[in-house]
Amino acid sequence: MVTVLVAVVCIFIVGFGKVFYTNKIEAQAVEDQKQYNKFEKEEAAKDKKRVEQLKAEKNENLIKWLQYRSTQKDKITLSVLGSSVTAGSGASDSSHRWANLLTNYLEIDVDDINPINLVNNGYGGYSTSELINDKKIDEVVKNKPDVVIFELCLLNNFGEKVSLEKTTQDINYIMETLSKELPDSLIVIQTANSIPNKNANGIGLTYDDYNKYAEQYVQSKGWNFINTYEQFDDEVINKELNYNDILNDGIHPTDKGYAIWYNILKNEVNKTAIKQ
């Protein structure tokens, strides 16, 4: 009889303990879910606040513009448009081109920018007119880039003796086309590197004339503009650099030359306000 009683008591204790433990686990699970839901709400609120802050600040510079864009898209497409110095002629390999150096900086060294798909639309020997005539602007548009950095091809316009009036007409056509076809994209214009040749071409214009005229025109239109030419030239003068060390053939940068170009852009994307 005693044995049976003991067995009954043991069964009761085990059963009660199991129910108690099960209830405790369920109660803990409920509490854990509550804490998780609270955490999720707090994180969602933080994310919303962060997005709102980035939206408010996105025109402060290109970095913040890209950070805000990254809240809208999983991948950013960057198109660079221009001549052989945009294609990277003169660099020892693709990693030393200004476009690749800039992309690596944005992806690796800057927080909160999603992966970047770099599309290089640089064409060796092309003037602004040839970009238009050979429908190279269409090549940019079809990729639907988030950002277009347009190098003005002034080295070739100078070399091919394109008039200043035709140069600005071409620039205007290209910008109107890009703005119309890519209304949500950011378009930034830049000039190219300086060169040692200070002589006039066959129509009496120096390379400096093209750059100054284009700068005045672009600024009069209120477009986003980076004066790479002037800053590159200042670097050469202020540091007494030898063009033979930074240009391969008096035109196309070496790795050192592209590094100068990249550092100009790196500074600009961090400080220059965006117009959109």
Side-chain angles (χ1 to χ4, degrees):
M1 184 68 180
V2 173
T3 303
V4 173
L5 182 60
V6 170
V8 170
V9 170
C10 288
I11 291 171
F12 175 77
I13 291 172
V14 170
F16 177 80
K18 183 177 181 180
V19 171
F20 175 79
Y21 185 68
T22 300
N23 290 340
K24 185 176 181 180
I25 291 176
E26 291 176 350
Q28 185 62 49
V30 170
E31 181 60 27
D32 289 345
Q33 186 63 47
K34 287 181 180 179
Q35 292 298 321
Y36 178 77
N37 291 342
K38 181 181 178 182
F39 172 79
E40 286 282 282
K41 288 180 180 179
E42 290 174 348
E43 288 301 303
K46 288 179 183 178
D47 288 344
K48 183 179 179 180
K49 185 176 181 181
R50 172 65 173 157
V51 171
E52 290 174 348
Q53 180 182 359
L54 287 172
K55 185 177 182 180
E57 298 175 347
K58 70 184 179 74
N59 289 338
E60 289 185 10
N61 54 55
L62 181 58
I63 295 289
K64 291 192 175 182
W65 193 96
L66 288 170
Q67 288 172 332
Y68 175 68
R69 190 71 154 199
S70 294
T71 67
Q72 315 297 309
K73 298 184 68 176
D74 293 331
K75 195 164 192 175
I76 303 296
T77 298
L78 166 62
S79 173
V80 293
L81 170 65
S83 64
S84 57
V85 291
T86 288
S89 295
S92 60
D93 58 59
S94 61
S95 68
H96 289 93
R97 300 168 182 168
W98 66 258
N100 295 70
L101 292 167
L102 179 63
T103 300
N104 288 341
Y105 166 69
L106 294 172
E107 282 193 311
I108 297 171
D109 296 336
V110 181
D111 294 331
D112 300 325
I113 293 179
N114 287 340
I116 297 174
N117 173 37
L118 172 63
V119 181
N120 195 312
N121 296 108
Y123 303 99
Y126 271 60
S127 65
T128 50
S129 296
E130 288 165 321
L131 288 180
I132 296 168
N133 295 338
D134 287 356
K135 300 187 184 304
K136 297 305 183 183
I137 314 307
D138 295 343
E139 294 296 311
V140 174
V141 170
K142 76 177 184 181
N143 288 302
K144 296 180 171 57
D146 298 283
V147 179
V148 179
I149 300 179
F150 170 32
E151 175 256 312
L152 292 176
C153 301
L154 298 181
L155 282 163
N156 292 321
N157 280 36
F158 164 67
E160 295 179 18
K161 301 182 270 301
V162 179
S163 72
L164 297 178
E165 291 74 17
K166 178 58 175 171
T167 296
T168 53
Q169 287 174 11
D170 289 345
I171 294 169
N172 188 67
Y173 176 86
I174 292 169
M175 287 298 293
E176 285 189 348
T177 302
L178 291 174
S179 298
K180 179 182 177 181
E181 299 297 330
L182 302 169
D184 297 323
S185 301
L186 178 66
I187 304 167
V188 179
I189 293 173
Q190 70 162 335
T191 46
N193 54 282
S194 63
I195 58 175
N197 180 8
K198 308 302 180 184
N199 297 324
N201 61 13
I203 57 174
L205 297 170
T206 65
Y207 179 50
D208 188 64
D209 291 332
Y210 282 86
N211 279 278
K212 289 182 176 176
Y213 195 83
E215 177 190 4
Q216 292 173 359
Y217 179 74
V218 169
Q219 290 184 337
S220 74
K221 302 290 284 188
W223 293 323
N224 294 301
F225 178 64
I226 297 174
N227 197 337
T228 305
Y229 164 77
E230 185 176 86
Q231 295 183 65
F232 196 101
D233 201 45
D234 287 345
E235 184 83 358
V236 172
I237 294 169
N238 294 336
K239 294 188 177 180
E240 299 181 345
L241 300 177
N242 188 327
Y243 271 112
N244 291 329
D245 293 331
I246 59 176
L247 300 181
N248 276 305
D249 50 9
I251 297 175
H252 301 96
T254 62
D255 290 351
K256 289 181 180 179
Y258 280 121
I260 294 171
W261 192 329
Y262 155 67
N263 282 316
I264 291 168
L265 295 180
K266 178 182 175 182
N267 183 51
E268 291 288 338
V269 300
N270 277 281
K271 75 170 189 178
T272 302
I274 295 300
K275 303 167 187 174
Q276 192 179 34

